[in-house]
Amino acid sequence: MRLRGVITAVLLLLMISVGAQEYQKQVGVRMGQLNGISLRMIKAHRTALEATFGHYNNGFLIRCNGYRYISQDDFNDKWQMYLGGGLQLGAVFRDHRDDWYSTSNKSDFSGPVTGLVGAFGFEFRPVNSDFIIGLTYEPFLEYGLIRHFRVDLFNFGLHVRLDY
């Protein structure tokens, strides 16, 4: 019960701080190894926070990233480039893989996973449009319970987002 109170307090503080500042908001779909819905808030045309909720290895994953737009031109130009990273938390079920880069010899790992994510991406915004199309490279380190460690250097995703 104490954990529920802490989570509620943190969510209330986040909602208050988000409501007190001006953000550009985007909602979208991500397709790749992690398929899901993404929400992004951009502050001051240069920094962004994104949460992605999606399907991953017969389970689910929540990924939270922070970004810094590194393009030198105005934010509303057609092309943007960004760099960032974050955390992921989720669960995988019946993961029938035997990766050479996994320290787990089990081909049937199931359970909670957590990890670190890097991100580098490009975005394209057609002129006078609220749609954004992006390609992101997101390598990650994943750790799950006993002796499950995974590094994925080939994680690409395609994003389609809409300003709202």
Side-chain angles (χ1 to χ4, degrees):
M1 287 298 167
R2 186 175 180 176
L3 181 61
R4 184 183 296 172
V6 170
I7 291 172
T8 303
V10 168
L11 288 175
L12 285 173
L13 286 173
L14 286 173
M15 286 190 299
I16 290 169
S17 66
V18 167
Q21 299 176 10
E22 287 297 318
Y23 287 98
Q24 177 183 355
K25 298 176 192 123
Q26 299 173 349
V27 62
V29 176
R30 182 188 195 279
M31 296 156 281
Q33 187 174 6
L34 171 63
N35 297 310
I37 297 172
S38 67
L39 303 170
R40 183 180 282 189
M41 293 185 297
I42 303 169
K43 181 180 179 194
H45 301 297
R46 289 288 170 223
T47 58
L49 294 174
E50 181 176 35
T52 305
F53 308 93
H55 179 265
Y56 168 75
N57 280 343
N58 295 324
F60 68 92
L61 191 70
I62 300 169
R63 182 176 286 168
C64 298
N65 287 341
Y67 300 112
R68 177 77 177 162
Y69 285 89
I70 54 178
S71 300
Q72 297 300 318
D73 300 325
D74 185 81
F75 181 75
N76 289 320
D77 281 349
K78 289 182 182 180
W79 291 95
Q80 289 291 315
M81 187 170 41
Y82 56 90
L83 182 66
L87 301 172
Q88 64 184 26
L89 178 66
V92 295
F93 304 104
R94 295 181 302 277
D95 188 10
H96 299 289
R97 64 175 179 232
D98 191 17
D99 297 333
W100 62 271
Y101 45 79
S102 175
T103 59
S104 172
N105 292 326
K106 299 177 182 178
S107 60
D108 240 2
F109 176 76
S110 292
V113 293
T114 186
L116 298 173
V117 182
F120 177 75
F122 293 96
E123 293 180 344
F124 174 72
R125 178 192 299 264
V127 177
N128 297 325
S129 174
D130 291 333
F131 285 96
I132 300 156
I133 300 168
L135 179 65
T136 304
Y137 170 60
E138 295 180 331
F140 64 86
L141 300 164
E142 179 181 275
Y143 178 77
L145 290 181
I146 300 171
R147 297 187 67 224
H148 174 75
F149 179 78
R150 181 171 180 235
V151 176
D152 189 342
L153 300 176
F154 304 103
N155 184 19
F156 291 89
L158 177 66
H159 296 264
V160 179
R161 284 192 296 278
L162 175 68
D163 284 336
Y164 71 96

mmCIF file of all heavy atoms in Angstrom, residues 15 17 24 30 35 37 45 50-53 57-58 66 80 82 88 100 103 111 121 127-128 135 137 139:
data_model
loop_
_atom_site.group_PDB
_atom_site.id
_atom_site.type_symbol
_atom_site.label_atom_id
_atom_site.label_comp_id
_atom_site.label_asym_id
_atom_site.label_seq_id
_atom_site.Cartn_x
_atom_site.Cartn_y
_atom_site.Cartn_z
ATOM 1 N N MET A 15 2.204 15.514 -13.336
ATOM 2 C CA MET A 15 1.083 16.162 -14.015
ATOM 3 C C MET A 15 1.071 17.660 -13.738
ATOM 4 O O MET A 15 0.800 18.459 -14.627
ATOM 5 C CB MET A 15 -0.243 15.528 -13.591
ATOM 6 C CG MET A 15 -0.458 14.161 -14.204
ATOM 7 S SD MET A 15 -2.106 13.487 -13.980
ATOM 8 C CE MET A 15 -2.249 13.396 -12.213
ATOM 9 N N SER A 17 3.732 19.571 -12.982
ATOM 10 C CA SER A 17 4.845 20.223 -13.673
ATOM 11 C C SER A 17 4.623 20.259 -15.172
ATOM 12 O O SER A 17 5.009 21.201 -15.843
ATOM 13 C CB SER A 17 6.167 19.529 -13.345
ATOM 14 O OG SER A 17 6.170 18.219 -13.873
ATOM 15 N N GLN A 24 5.397 21.113 -26.678
ATOM 16 C CA GLN A 24 4.825 20.627 -27.920
ATOM 17 C C GLN A 24 4.616 19.138 -27.686
ATOM 18 O O GLN A 24 5.523 18.434 -27.245
ATOM 19 C CB GLN A 24 5.791 20.847 -29.075
ATOM 20 C CG GLN A 24 5.283 20.301 -30.382
ATOM 21 C CD GLN A 24 6.309 20.469 -31.492
ATOM 22 O OE1 GLN A 24 7.358 21.074 -31.299
ATOM 23 N NE2 GLN A 24 5.995 19.920 -32.631
ATOM 24 N N ARG A 30 5.196 3.325 -33.089
ATOM 25 C CA ARG A 30 6.558 2.871 -33.360
ATOM 26 C C ARG A 30 6.499 1.444 -33.886
ATOM 27 O O ARG A 30 5.810 0.608 -33.318
ATOM 28 C CB ARG A 30 7.415 2.898 -32.105
ATOM 29 C CG ARG A 30 8.847 2.472 -32.381
ATOM 30 C CD ARG A 30 9.654 2.321 -31.108
ATOM 31 N NE ARG A 30 11.069 2.262 -31.359
ATOM 32 C CZ ARG A 30 11.717 1.171 -31.753
ATOM 33 N NH1 ARG A 30 11.070 0.045 -31.941
ATOM 34 N NH2 ARG A 30 13.021 1.192 -31.950
ATOM 35 N N ASN A 35 7.141 -2.725 -30.849
ATOM 36 C CA ASN A 35 5.992 -2.145 -31.551
ATOM 37 C C ASN A 35 5.050 -1.561 -30.523
ATOM 38 O O ASN A 35 4.675 -2.256 -29.576
ATOM 39 C CB ASN A 35 5.241 -3.216 -32.357
ATOM 40 C CG ASN A 35 6.096 -3.810 -33.437
ATOM 41 O OD1 ASN A 35 6.704 -3.099 -34.207
ATOM 42 N ND2 ASN A 35 6.161 -5.123 -33.477
ATOM 43 N N ILE A 37 2.896 2.317 -28.943
ATOM 44 C CA ILE A 37 2.434 3.704 -28.979
ATOM 45 C C ILE A 37 3.454 4.556 -28.239
ATOM 46 O O ILE A 37 3.921 4.184 -27.164
ATOM 47 C CB ILE A 37 1.057 3.832 -28.316
ATOM 48 C CG1 ILE A 37 0.040 3.015 -29.115
ATOM 49 C CG2 ILE A 37 0.627 5.279 -28.210
ATOM 50 C CD1 ILE A 37 -1.302 2.907 -28.454
ATOM 51 N N HIS A 45 11.975 23.564 -27.956
ATOM 52 C CA HIS A 45 12.402 23.163 -29.293
ATOM 53 C C HIS A 45 13.712 22.394 -29.333
ATOM 54 O O HIS A 45 14.239 22.159 -30.406
ATOM 55 C CB HIS A 45 12.514 24.376 -30.215
ATOM 56 C CG HIS A 45 11.244 25.123 -30.360
ATOM 57 N ND1 HIS A 45 10.118 24.571 -30.924
ATOM 58 C CD2 HIS A 45 10.902 26.381 -29.996
ATOM 59 C CE1 HIS A 45 9.158 25.457 -30.917
ATOM 60 N NE2 HIS A 45 9.594 26.560 -30.366
ATOM 61 N N GLU A 50 10.239 11.090 -24.037
ATOM 62 C CA GLU A 50 9.349 10.189 -24.765
ATOM 63 C C GLU A 50 9.132 8.920 -23.959
ATOM 64 O O GLU A 50 10.065 8.364 -23.390
ATOM 65 C CB GLU A 50 9.940 9.831 -26.121
ATOM 66 C CG GLU A 50 9.050 8.912 -26.930
ATOM 67 C CD GLU A 50 9.603 8.636 -28.308
ATOM 68 O OE1 GLU A 50 10.835 8.544 -28.461
ATOM 69 O OE2 GLU A 50 8.801 8.512 -29.233
ATOM 70 N N ALA A 51 7.905 8.475 -23.927
ATOM 71 C CA ALA A 51 7.554 7.187 -23.323
ATOM 72 C C ALA A 51 6.925 6.330 -24.411
ATOM 73 O O ALA A 51 6.046 6.784 -25.140
ATOM 74 C CB ALA A 51 6.578 7.379 -22.172
ATOM 75 N N THR A 52 7.402 5.096 -24.527
ATOM 76 C CA THR A 52 6.863 4.154 -25.497
ATOM 77 C C THR A 52 6.326 2.953 -24.746
ATOM 78 O O THR A 52 7.017 2.381 -23.906
ATOM 79 C CB THR A 52 7.946 3.704 -26.499
ATOM 80 O OG1 THR A 52 8.516 4.852 -27.105
ATOM 81 C CG2 THR A 52 7.363 2.800 -27.560
ATOM 82 N N PHE A 53 5.100 2.578 -25.041
ATOM 83 C CA PHE A 53 4.450 1.420 -24.430
ATOM 84 C C PHE A 53 4.202 0.425 -25.552
ATOM 85 O O PHE A 53 3.513 0.755 -26.521
ATOM 86 C CB PHE A 53 3.119 1.824 -23.794
ATOM 87 C CG PHE A 53 3.245 2.981 -22.858
ATOM 88 C CD1 PHE A 53 3.044 4.277 -23.313
ATOM 89 C CD2 PHE A 53 3.592 2.791 -21.541
ATOM 90 C CE1 PHE A 53 3.168 5.361 -22.466
ATOM 91 C CE2 PHE A 53 3.726 3.860 -20.686
ATOM 92 C CZ PHE A 53 3.511 5.150 -21.144
ATOM 93 N N ASN A 57 8.975 -9.219 -27.611
ATOM 94 C CA ASN A 57 9.304 -10.619 -27.310
ATOM 95 C C ASN A 57 8.189 -11.348 -26.567
ATOM 96 O O ASN A 57 8.402 -11.910 -25.502
ATOM 97 C CB ASN A 57 10.598 -10.715 -26.507
ATOM 98 C CG ASN A 57 11.820 -10.592 -27.378
ATOM 99 O OD1 ASN A 57 11.730 -10.741 -28.585
ATOM 100 N ND2 ASN A 57 12.946 -10.312 -26.780
ATOM 101 N N ASN A 58 7.003 -11.355 -27.118
ATOM 102 C CA ASN A 58 5.832 -12.008 -26.517
ATOM 103 C C ASN A 58 5.489 -11.444 -25.143
ATOM 104 O O ASN A 58 4.849 -12.102 -24.344
ATOM 105 C CB ASN A 58 6.012 -13.524 -26.409
ATOM 106 C CG ASN A 58 6.099 -14.176 -27.748
ATOM 107 O OD1 ASN A 58 5.424 -13.761 -28.682
ATOM 108 N ND2 ASN A 58 6.945 -15.182 -27.866
ATOM 109 N N GLY A 66 15.108 10.318 -23.005
ATOM 110 C CA GLY A 66 15.284 11.757 -23.082
ATOM 111 C C GLY A 66 16.111 12.063 -24.311
ATOM 112 O O GLY A 66 17.040 11.316 -24.638
ATOM 113 N N GLN A 80 15.200 16.892 -38.907
ATOM 114 C CA GLN A 80 15.747 17.061 -37.565
ATOM 115 C C GLN A 80 16.575 15.828 -37.213
ATOM 116 O O GLN A 80 16.298 14.725 -37.685
ATOM 117 C CB GLN A 80 14.630 17.211 -36.528
ATOM 118 C CG GLN A 80 13.882 18.509 -36.600
ATOM 119 C CD GLN A 80 14.745 19.665 -36.168
ATOM 120 O OE1 GLN A 80 15.438 19.600 -35.165
ATOM 121 N NE2 GLN A 80 14.710 20.735 -36.935
ATOM 122 N N TYR A 82 18.387 13.893 -33.654
ATOM 123 C CA TYR A 82 18.434 13.932 -32.199
ATOM 124 C C TYR A 82 19.268 12.792 -31.646
ATOM 125 O O TYR A 82 19.525 11.788 -32.302
ATOM 126 C CB TYR A 82 17.034 13.912 -31.590
ATOM 127 C CG TYR A 82 16.164 12.749 -32.010
ATOM 128 C CD1 TYR A 82 16.170 11.565 -31.294
ATOM 129 C CD2 TYR A 82 15.331 12.853 -33.107
ATOM 130 C CE1 TYR A 82 15.373 10.502 -31.678
ATOM 131 C CE2 TYR A 82 14.523 11.805 -33.491
ATOM 132 C CZ TYR A 82 14.552 10.628 -32.766
ATOM 133 O OH TYR A 82 13.764 9.578 -33.145
ATOM 134 N N GLN A 88 14.507 1.117 -19.851
ATOM 135 C CA GLN A 88 13.371 0.306 -20.251
ATOM 136 C C GLN A 88 13.070 -0.700 -19.145
ATOM 137 O O GLN A 88 13.952 -1.126 -18.424
ATOM 138 C CB GLN A 88 13.612 -0.397 -21.577
ATOM 139 C CG GLN A 88 14.735 -1.401 -21.586
ATOM 140 C CD GLN A 88 14.960 -1.970 -22.973
ATOM 141 O OE1 GLN A 88 14.661 -1.340 -23.970
ATOM 142 N NE2 GLN A 88 15.489 -3.169 -23.041
ATOM 143 N N TRP A 100 24.056 -15.536 -29.506
ATOM 144 C CA TRP A 100 25.463 -15.688 -29.170
ATOM 145 C C TRP A 100 25.916 -14.640 -28.172
ATOM 146 O O TRP A 100 26.894 -14.820 -27.466
ATOM 147 C CB TRP A 100 26.317 -15.620 -30.429
ATOM 148 C CG TRP A 100 26.231 -14.322 -31.155
ATOM 149 C CD1 TRP A 100 25.335 -13.997 -32.126
ATOM 150 C CD2 TRP A 100 27.028 -13.162 -30.953
ATOM 151 N NE1 TRP A 100 25.529 -12.713 -32.555
ATOM 152 C CE2 TRP A 100 26.570 -12.171 -31.854
ATOM 153 C CE3 TRP A 100 28.097 -12.854 -30.101
ATOM 154 C CZ2 TRP A 100 27.133 -10.913 -31.918
ATOM 155 C CZ3 TRP A 100 28.650 -11.587 -30.177
ATOM 156 C CH2 TRP A 100 28.177 -10.649 -31.073
ATOM 157 N N THR A 103 24.307 -14.197 -22.092
ATOM 158 C CA THR A 103 25.021 -15.012 -21.113
ATOM 159 C C THR A 103 24.137 -16.135 -20.594
ATOM 160 O O THR A 103 24.592 -16.981 -19.851
ATOM 161 C CB THR A 103 25.490 -14.160 -19.918
ATOM 162 O OG1 THR A 103 24.350 -13.565 -19.309
ATOM 163 C CG2 THR A 103 26.473 -13.105 -20.363
ATOM 164 N N GLY A 111 10.339 -13.694 -17.900
ATOM 165 C CA GLY A 111 10.397 -12.932 -16.666
ATOM 166 C C GLY A 111 10.605 -11.455 -16.905
ATOM 167 O O GLY A 111 10.621 -10.983 -18.036
ATOM 168 N N GLY A 121 18.485 9.448 -33.889
ATOM 169 C CA GLY A 121 17.425 9.399 -34.881
ATOM 170 C C GLY A 121 17.360 10.597 -35.798
ATOM 171 O O GLY A 121 17.945 11.646 -35.533
ATOM 172 N N VAL A 127 6.273 19.902 -45.264
ATOM 173 C CA VAL A 127 5.919 21.309 -45.105
ATOM 174 C C VAL A 127 4.420 21.441 -44.802
ATOM 175 O O VAL A 127 3.595 20.766 -45.406
ATOM 176 C CB VAL A 127 6.293 22.101 -46.370
ATOM 177 C CG1 VAL A 127 5.876 23.550 -46.248
ATOM 178 C CG2 VAL A 127 7.779 21.996 -46.629
ATOM 179 N N ASN A 128 4.096 22.324 -43.862
ATOM 180 C CA ASN A 128 2.705 22.600 -43.457
ATOM 181 C C ASN A 128 1.941 21.334 -43.056
ATOM 182 O O ASN A 128 0.783 21.168 -43.394
ATOM 183 C CB ASN A 128 1.945 23.331 -44.573
ATOM 184 C CG ASN A 128 2.562 24.677 -44.863
ATOM 185 O OD1 ASN A 128 3.050 25.353 -43.963
ATOM 186 N ND2 ASN A 128 2.554 25.065 -46.117
ATOM 187 N N LEU A 135 13.165 7.748 -38.214
ATOM 188 C CA LEU A 135 13.896 6.494 -38.120
ATOM 189 C C LEU A 135 14.850 6.621 -36.950
ATOM 190 O O LEU A 135 15.609 7.590 -36.862
ATOM 191 C CB LEU A 135 14.676 6.224 -39.413
ATOM 192 C CG LEU A 135 15.506 4.956 -39.434
ATOM 193 C CD1 LEU A 135 14.595 3.720 -39.362
ATOM 194 C CD2 LEU A 135 16.354 4.899 -40.695
ATOM 195 N N TYR A 137 17.680 4.631 -34.307
ATOM 196 C CA TYR A 137 18.580 3.531 -33.958
ATOM 197 C C TYR A 137 18.673 3.521 -32.440
ATOM 198 O O TYR A 137 19.073 4.518 -31.834
ATOM 199 C CB TYR A 137 19.948 3.755 -34.606
ATOM 200 C CG TYR A 137 21.019 2.816 -34.134
ATOM 201 C CD1 TYR A 137 20.886 1.436 -34.295
ATOM 202 C CD2 TYR A 137 22.165 3.302 -33.528
ATOM 203 C CE1 TYR A 137 21.876 0.571 -33.864
ATOM 204 C CE2 TYR A 137 23.164 2.446 -33.101
ATOM 205 C CZ TYR A 137 23.013 1.080 -33.271
ATOM 206 O OH TYR A 137 23.988 0.225 -32.838
ATOM 207 N N PRO A 139 20.225 1.038 -29.746
ATOM 208 C CA PRO A 139 20.884 -0.124 -29.152
ATOM 209 C C PRO A 139 20.575 -0.181 -27.664
ATOM 210 O O PRO A 139 20.355 0.843 -27.024
ATOM 211 C CB PRO A 139 22.365 0.149 -29.404
ATOM 212 C CG PRO A 139 22.453 1.634 -29.509
ATOM 213 C CD PRO A 139 21.160 2.091 -30.108
#
